[in-house]
Amino acid sequence: MAKEIDATMESFANACQYIHDNSDKKLTNRVAMQSLMYDAVREKFQLSAQTTIHAIRRVCANRKTSKTNKIKNESSLTFTPTSVDYDSRTFSLDTKIWIVSLKLLTKRTRFELLIGNYQRGILKGSKPKSAVLNKRKNSTYYINIHVDNIAPEPENTYKVIGIDLGRTDIASTSEGESWSGKNVTSKRNHYSQMRAVLQKKASKGTRSSRRRCRQLQQRLSGKERRFQKHINHEITTYLVKKAATNKFSIAIEDLTNIRQRTNKQRRSKKERRLSNNWAFYQFRMFLAYKCVLNGVKLILVNPAYTSLTCHKCLHIHPTKGKSYRHGKDYHCQHCGWKGDADYNGAKNIAALGLNVNQPGGSWLSCKVSNLDFIPRQLTIWDVLEGY
């Protein structure tokens, strides 16, 4: 059976490559591409009608993606035999006996689904219309079944939880909760040191020691990434469930392109590694899709001055060259408030998110970044009202 699946994936990948190599590289319209390549692909690769159409769609989609991502050499697109697309005509799911039927290269074949109760609960009673059959690196197979669910509408609320993201503390909320990033940083340093040692031994040493080092590298591959992913899942699940239960909205900073901005600064090799390994984007994506599933509104606010502003008196720290932080604490030089700096930032993010969430628009989080100079006694409200 594995040979039949591999043959199907290889034919699908070869068809995609043939379509890409023998058509205008700027052509991304599926209808135009189908009229141009359909007959030739079916005759050459012996694919079914629907599989041929999916090969054409994949080529068009990959070209659009490369154009969006501004890949200069679009002709260098390659298609590997690791997956096949299916729709309702080429696959079916029977949730009574948990059998999936797939159209392979020469015949239609049934497979038993080895899934847990969580997945069965999601699939039970659903009518999936598409799926993707994938092959792992260890030559095992899995199928992604696409289920359409109607997401609940986010409830209108005037209560907002602000979340400040960071490396010392992965997340700190305006409710006073925080999750330390000490374990994540320790794990990252441990794996970084281990990789350096193994890479050195894999290039130098006896033949058997080099082989054992390569085997250990392969066994440890992805372990650090999975640990970080697990932590992000746990934190975001807790936050969204709490927000849904108490009818809160969630506000976080919009940190788009922060990696590009910080990499322009002079930093040590270790600092650059730790900063670039910070999985804030993954945290945001987990939070976003869980908010959609639970009907929680997610608000993105401008991160400018959220750490510099005192949430008590709303004055922005003005003194250049003098830090407003003492360790993890924030010290306001205007009202004298002292407290956790991440908690202070989360309170400011919650205030920004609350204003965006209320009628009147998002002016609260827009005008701050236009200021180049901030006087000593200027508050954030003066900034927002066009001082």
Side-chain angles (χ1 to χ4, degrees):
M1 194 60 63
K3 292 182 179 180
E4 185 73 16
I5 297 176
D6 288 340
T8 304
M9 289 186 174
E10 187 173 356
S11 295
F12 185 81
N14 291 338
C16 292
Q17 195 67 52
Y18 176 82
I19 294 167
H20 178 65
D21 294 339
N22 293 275
S23 61
D24 184 1
K25 301 301 183 290
K26 295 182 179 180
L27 181 60
T28 58
N29 185 280
R30 295 184 299 180
V31 177
M33 182 75 81
Q34 183 174 331
S35 63
L36 181 67
M37 303 298 299
Y38 178 81
D39 293 333
V41 172
R42 284 217 63 188
E43 182 180 354
K44 187 175 180 65
F45 298 99
Q46 304 299 314
L47 295 175
S48 66
Q50 286 300 116
T51 307
T52 302
I53 291 173
H54 282 298
I56 293 170
R57 289 178 176 177
R58 177 173 289 194
V59 173
C60 294
N62 284 18
R63 285 181 176 179
K64 289 179 180 178
T65 301
S66 63
K67 189 175 181 180
T68 302
N69 295 338
K70 297 180 180 179
I71 298 176
K72 294 181 180 180
N73 189 9
E74 296 181 5
S75 60
S76 63
L77 283 177
T78 56
F79 299 86
T80 55
T82 55
S83 62
V84 182
D85 297 333
Y86 288 92
D87 61 14
S88 57
R89 295 185 180 182
T90 52
F91 107 104
S92 63
L93 172 66
D94 189 343
T95 57
K96 293 182 180 178
I97 55 177
W98 298 106
I99 294 291
V100 64
S101 173
L102 300 174
K103 177 68 173 71
L104 299 182
L105 194 62
T106 58
K107 60 182 179 179
R108 198 173 183 102
T109 310
R110 304 174 76 193
F111 299 92
E112 181 183 358
L113 286 179
L114 302 177
I115 56 178
N117 291 330
Y118 176 77
Q119 290 79 12
R120 294 191 179 197
I122 294 175
L123 293 173
K124 193 70 175 179
S126 64
K127 296 181 179 179
K129 297 180 180 179
S130 59
V132 180
L133 180 64
N134 299 275
K135 183 178 181 180
R136 296 189 180 95
K137 291 182 179 180
N138 60 0
S139 298
T140 59
Y141 306 93
Y142 67 97
I143 185 168
N144 285 329
I145 300 175
H146 305 157
V147 180
D148 293 332
N149 287 329
I150 300 176
E153 287 292 329
E155 293 190 27
N156 293 325
T157 177
Y158 295 112
K159 297 184 290 184
V160 177
I161 298 178
I163 302 175
D164 183 65
L165 304 180
R167 279 168 39 197
T168 304
D169 287 337
I170 299 174
S172 299
T173 73
S174 56
E175 302 289 303
E177 296 177 297
S178 64
W179 289 264
S180 175
K182 186 177 180 180
N183 288 339
V184 176
T185 303
S186 177
K187 282 279 186 182
R188 289 197 181 283
N189 291 335
H190 169 72
Y191 283 117
S192 176
Q193 184 179 7
M194 185 177 292
R195 282 194 298 269
V197 172
L198 290 175
Q199 286 169 3
K200 185 176 180 180
K201 288 186 177 181
S203 59
K204 298 177 182 180
T206 63
R207 185 175 180 180
S208 59
S209 67
R210 293 199 305 268
R211 184 178 67 253
R212 286 196 296 269
C213 286
R214 288 193 295 269
Q215 291 173 347
L216 185 57
Q217 283 178 317
Q218 187 176 7
R219 184 162 61 85
L220 295 176
S221 176
K223 209 168 183 180
E224 177 185 342
R225 183 183 67 254
R226 291 192 296 272
F227 174 76
Q228 175 72 77
K229 185 177 180 180
H230 174 71
I231 295 295
N232 283 341
H233 266 307
E234 283 189 330
I235 298 173
T236 52
T237 299
Y238 172 81
L239 289 170
V240 173
K241 284 185 177 180
K242 181 176 180 178
T245 302
N246 297 292
K247 297 184 178 179
F248 276 84
S249 295
I250 295 178
I252 61 172
E253 297 170 300
D254 185 3
L255 299 176
T256 304
N257 297 325
I258 188 174
R259 185 167 295 172
Q260 287 81 348
R261 294 196 300 270
T262 55
N263 279 340
K264 294 179 182 178
Q265 303 172 3
R266 282 190 171 185
R267 294 176 298 167
S268 65
K269 184 178 180 181
K270 181 179 179 180
E271 180 66 22
R272 184 179 291 271
R273 173 179 61 79
L274 290 173
S275 177
N276 288 339
N277 284 341
W278 179 31
F280 64 91
Y281 182 74
Q282 184 187 74
F283 186 97
R284 171 177 160 178
M285 290 298 101
F286 288 172
L287 199 65
Y289 88 79
K290 290 174 184 178
C291 282
V292 171
L293 291 177
N294 290 273
V296 176
K297 188 175 182 180
L298 181 64
I299 305 166
L300 301 179
V301 303
N302 193 329
Y305 303 105
T306 54
S307 297
L308 293 171
T309 304
C310 174
H311 77 279
K312 282 290 186 182
C313 65
L314 301 179
H315 277 73
I316 301 175
H317 178 79
T319 308
K320 290 187 177 180
K322 188 173 182 181
S323 177
Y324 62 93
R325 295 185 66 152
H326 302 276
K328 285 188 63 178
D329 293 333
Y330 177 95
H331 184 196
C332 179
Q333 298 177 8
H334 181 260
C335 71
W337 182 85
K338 294 181 180 179
D340 186 80
D342 293 333
Y343 170 74
N344 178 72
K347 293 290 286 186
N348 289 325
I349 293 168
L352 292 168
L354 181 61
N355 186 268
V356 173
N357 203 30
Q358 291 176 341
S362 58
W363 56 270
L364 181 58
S365 60
C366 294
K367 296 184 180 179
V368 182
S369 59
N370 295 331
L371 282 184
D372 296 323
F373 172 74
I374 302 174
R376 177 174 292 276
Q377 297 301 319
L378 187 63
T379 72
I380 193 172
W381 302 112
D382 297 323
V383 174
L384 300 171
E385 290 172 3
Y387 176 84

